[in-house]
Amino acid sequence: MTVMIPYGRQDISESDIQAVVDVLRSDYLTQGPVVPAFEKSVADYCDVQHAIAVNSATSALHIACLALGVGSGDIIWTTPLTFVASANCALYCGAMIDFVDIDPLTYNISLERLAEKLALAAKTGNLPKVVIPVHLCGQPCNMAGIHALGLQYGFKIIEDASHAIGGRYRGNEVIGNCRYSDITVFSFHPVKIITTAEGGMSTTNDVSLAKRMQLLRSHGITRDVNEMTHEPDGPWYYQQIDLGYNYRMTELQAALGLSQMQRLDEFVSKRHVIARRYDQLFANLPIVTPWQHSDSYSGWHLYVVRLKLKEVGKTHLQVFKALRAAGIGVNLHYIPVYLQPYYEGLGFKMGYCPEAELYYAEAISLPMYPGLTEEQQNHVVKALAEAIR
Ligand SMILES: *Cc1c(COP(=O)(O)O)cnc(C)c1O
């Protein structure tokens, strides 16, 4: 039995290791100079004013919502095809969550469904305060369209770009530049495009949002005299002016992230090579390969195929199990969030987003990461061909 080929994994170089070791030998393990250096590196790459590093994308989503003033009585909308964190952030703030079905071509939030739902919500006075589009698999959402709706209906936008660092929208708009959103959030979990083990970052061009997120990631405490309610009592003085958290990233994590940034473009272009090769090798199989917008450059976090079940003659579960048995760590991204028992407890039911449920019945995430060899890829293709024969 060969070792399982995972669906995603980190790529760690000797210089990544050295960067972390250097921090271990330095004066600061947290709250030192490397976190700001990593933030600057991401901000420069994304062509955005501010970047705020935190200990996960989940934390970044939470404080992004808080910075935008989300609280009880507010509603947030997102896509059902995402990791639960994109929806949980609303509930953390005491807000309500709702879901907009996906586009059957891109698997991202559907602009048409969003426009319809907004028109309806405007009539009933239930408009969302924030919409959170997710660039699923790394493919950018229709941000210009969502942004235009945001202006029309007065909602804010948080891009969940956990899959999409290194991607580009409309030719040269770097994901994270916040041209069409208030805040963008990245994840640096090991399966994502670059890693800090655990970690996340938000970007924004709004200085007041940046300051609020900086405050909230560290207990709501400030050392800036200008933000204090009165003159400092003495040199030791700091003030807690809001209820924040400890969501800080460590220097060790930032060192790994900063080092990984040097290879970000290389990682993404390797993912593109793998995707193109899959596309070619799958040309004659009864599966749907991922559609790509000609203007956009995906981060290619995931390579998801959909089985044409009428032509396959096996069930989704049978194919999935056959691939696992062949040593391929296939996965499924994602179970529609509202079908999770916790969300069913909030009143969501099967049938709510039909396109997302159809996707869930057919989708399989195949191995996709820079270290995947051609030989391993051939094995995946052969095993899938056998599984659906
Ligand atoms: C991974 C992921 C998150 C959460 O990221 P963490 O850094 O693990 O908290 C949120 N949203 C999406 C779409 C993700 O893929």
Side-chain angles (χ1 to χ4, degrees):
M1 180 78 196
T2 48
V3 220
M4 204 68 136
I5 304 171
Y7 83 84
R9 69 159 288 151
Q10 68 277 13
D11 185 308
I12 302 295
S13 69
E14 280 308 314
S15 48
D16 291 341
I17 293 167
Q18 193 54 51
V20 176
V21 170
D22 289 346
V23 167
L24 278 170
R25 295 188 200 285
S26 78
D27 290 336
Y28 296 97
L29 300 186
T30 188
Q31 295 174 283
V34 188
V35 167
F38 180 37
E39 290 173 333
K40 186 175 185 311
S41 162
V42 173
D44 289 350
Y45 183 91
C46 293
D47 193 20
V48 71
Q49 303 271 317
H50 310 280
I52 299 95
V54 286
N55 58 0
S56 71
T58 303
S59 304
L61 286 162
H62 182 194
I63 61 175
C65 289
L66 290 175
L68 289 170
V70 174
S72 70
D74 292 327
I75 311 172
I76 292 187
W77 290 2
T78 189
T79 167
L81 276 196
T82 185
F83 185 57
V84 291
S86 321
N88 287 346
C89 57
L91 307 181
Y92 294 159
C93 302
M96 287 175 288
I97 186 78
D98 203 353
F99 300 93
V100 181
D101 207 353
I102 60 158
D103 180 313
L105 196 61
T106 65
Y107 314 149
N108 284 327
I109 192 168
S110 158
L111 193 67
E112 289 71 32
R113 297 292 88 75
L114 179 61
E116 284 168 13
K117 201 176 165 81
L118 286 164
L120 209 63
K123 287 194 193 123
T124 55
N126 283 318
L127 282 168
K129 179 157 189 153
V130 176
V131 172
I132 307 183
V134 178
H135 305 306
L136 192 75
C137 305
Q139 170 154 249
C141 296
N142 183 340
M143 289 312 301
I146 297 168
H147 183 247
L149 290 172
L151 294 178
Q152 188 182 345
Y153 290 99
F155 60 80
K156 303 287 185 188
I157 300 168
I158 301 172
E159 288 174 70
D160 185 342
S162 293
H163 298 184
I165 196 168
R168 282 170 171 69
Y169 171 63
R170 293 200 163 173
N172 55 4
E173 304 274 1
V174 182
I175 295 294
N177 73 2
C178 296
R179 167 126 181 241
Y180 299 104
S181 64
D182 297 279
I183 298 169
T184 301
V185 166
F186 296 120
S187 171
F188 307 129
H189 181 279
V191 295
K192 305 292 165 68
I193 294 178
I194 60 164
T195 191
T196 60
E198 296 281 1
M201 185 139 3
S202 29
T203 61
T204 183
N205 289 312
D206 181 322
V207 65
S208 66
L209 289 177
K211 280 196 168 155
R212 258 188 80 61
M213 290 191 283
Q214 279 156 357
L215 198 67
L216 290 167
R217 79 169 157 190
S218 196
H219 309 282
I221 284 173
T222 185
R223 289 174 189 278
D224 180 349
V225 178
N226 299 314
E227 288 174 359
M228 291 183 189
T229 56
H230 58 78
E231 287 297 306
D233 295 350
W236 64 84
Y237 197 66
Y238 58 83
Q239 270 190 355
Q240 185 191 340
I241 55 171
D242 204 337
L243 183 62
Y245 305 84
N246 182 350
Y247 283 170
R248 292 187 305 260
M249 176 179 276
T250 68
E251 293 282 288
L252 299 165
Q253 292 166 311
L256 180 52
L258 183 60
S259 180
Q260 290 253 303
M261 278 302 285
Q262 292 179 28
R263 284 179 296 145
L264 172 55
D265 286 338
E266 181 192 322
F267 287 159
V268 176
S269 70
K270 279 188 180 165
R271 288 171 178 274
H272 275 253
V273 170
I274 292 166
R276 264 200 303 276
R277 194 154 180 272
Y278 269 141
D279 286 346
Q280 286 159 6
L281 294 170
F282 287 145
N284 299 315
L285 288 186
I287 59 176
V288 181
T289 54
W291 184 86
Q292 293 296 295
H293 198 288
S294 57
D295 271 1
S296 294
Y297 184 75
S298 177
W300 274 116
H301 165 51
L302 297 171
Y303 189 91
V304 173
V305 296
R306 287 176 69 164
L307 305 178
K308 293 182 182 171
L309 287 171
K310 284 187 191 126
E311 296 171 44
V312 166
K314 293 247 180 75
T315 68
H316 182 229
L317 185 62
Q318 282 172 330
V319 174
F320 199 97
K321 282 183 171 169
L323 289 166
R324 283 275 175 95
I328 300 160
V330 286
N331 218 310
L332 208 174
H333 301 88
Y334 289 93
I335 306 160
V337 173
Y338 64 83
L339 294 179
Q340 296 291 350
Y342 185 82
Y343 281 83
E344 288 183 323
L346 300 177
F348 290 102
K349 288 190 175 63
M350 183 81 103
Y352 194 59
C353 296
E355 287 295 345
E357 291 178 20
L358 208 58
Y359 166 100
Y360 178 54
E362 301 173 347
I364 300 178
S365 304
L366 300 179
M368 166 55 96
Y369 51 92
L372 188 73
T373 64
E374 286 200 356
E375 195 186 348
Q376 287 172 320
Q377 213 186 353
N378 293 342
H379 176 61
V380 172
V381 173
K382 197 161 147 264
L384 182 59
E386 276 168 18
I388 62 182
R389 188 182 295 143

